[in-house]
């Protein structure tokens, strides 16, 4: 974002907009797999990817933290209508802890790569790095801890999410590229 477009009211509005987007993506019906240890397939990680790519690392993380604060207060904004403090000790707790960190990594990787390669490829790589590698690094141990699975078992369970997360990374990169084209926002 350029310095001219980063006034406090517009920054707050963008953060609120992306927090709402992540919440809205929770309305997309989740897919529960019986062997996934209570971790659903959701669209909300697409929101994390978009926040990191479009808002950048810190504003993107702020949007995620606003969303998580509202969830912690009890709003049923997670996929499947879940909310409240209990979600932070359930099977998805590790993923939730990783949400803001993943968003920061997505934004940082985007910044590092966007000037060196085509925006679409930079967006995909940033989204895969933060939205999969980093998020899984938190989610797999969290799932293992809460469910009593071994790390290997938890990783095998989470592997089912890989194709969908790759698709979300491609969608996020495409949307990011098109938003930047439409708004002429500096990378």
């Amino acid at each position: 974002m350029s310095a001219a477009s980063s006034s406090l009211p517009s920054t707050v509005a963008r953060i609120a907009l992306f927090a709402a987007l992540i919440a809205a993506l929770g309305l997309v019906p989740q897919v529960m797999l019986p062997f996934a240890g209570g971790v659903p397939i959701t669209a909300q990680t697409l929101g994390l990817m978009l926040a990191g790519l479009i808002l950048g690392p810190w504003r993107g993380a702020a949007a995620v933290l606003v969303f998580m604060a509202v969830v912690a207060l009890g709003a049923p904004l997670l996929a499947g209508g879940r909310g409240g403090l209990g979600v932070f000790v359930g099977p998805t707790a590790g993923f939730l802890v990783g949400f803001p960190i993943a968003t920061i990594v997505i934004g940082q990787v985007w910044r590092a790569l966007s000037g060196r390669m085509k925006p679409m490829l930079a967006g995909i790589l940033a989204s895969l790095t933060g939205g999969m590698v980093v998020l899984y690094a938190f989610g797999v141990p969290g799932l293992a801890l809460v469910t009593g699975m071994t790390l290997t078992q938890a990783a095998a369970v989470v592997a089912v999410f890989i194709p969908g997360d790759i698709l979300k990374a491609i969608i996020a990169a495409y949307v990011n590229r098109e938003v930047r084209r439409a708004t002429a926002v500096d990378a």
Side-chain angles (χ1 to χ4, degrees), residues 134-158:
V134 171
L135 200 54
Y136 289 16
F138 284 89
V140 170
L143 178 61
L145 180 68
V146 171
T147 63
M149 294 180 193
T150 66
L151 282 174
T152 303
Q153 290 169 325
V157 164
V158 170

Side-chain angles (χ1 to χ4, degrees), residues 17 19 31 54 62 84 92 98 119 164:
L17 175 67
V31 177
I54 295 172
T92 60

Side-chain angles (χ1 to χ4, degrees), residues 37-113:
V39 179
I41 296 174
T42 76
Q44 287 183 307
T45 51
L46 174 60
L48 305 179
M49 293 174 185
L50 289 168
L53 291 173
I54 295 172
L55 292 181
W58 308 113
R59 290 181 185 126
V64 171
L65 290 171
V66 167
F67 166 76
M68 290 175 63
V70 174
V71 167
L73 290 172
L77 300 177
L78 290 173
R82 298 173 303 123
L85 292 175
V87 299
F88 294 96
V89 294
T92 60
F95 290 98
L96 293 172
V97 169
F99 272 16
I101 298 160
T103 305
I104 290 168
V105 170
I106 291 165
Q108 293 286 28
V109 172
W110 163 256
R111 283 184 177 173
L113 298 179

Side-chain angles (χ1 to χ4, degrees), residues 118-140:
K118 293 185 182 259
M120 189 72 184
L121 182 57
I124 291 170
L125 291 174
S127 294
L128 291 176
T129 302
M132 284 182 59
V133 175
V134 171
L135 200 54
Y136 289 16
F138 284 89
V140 170

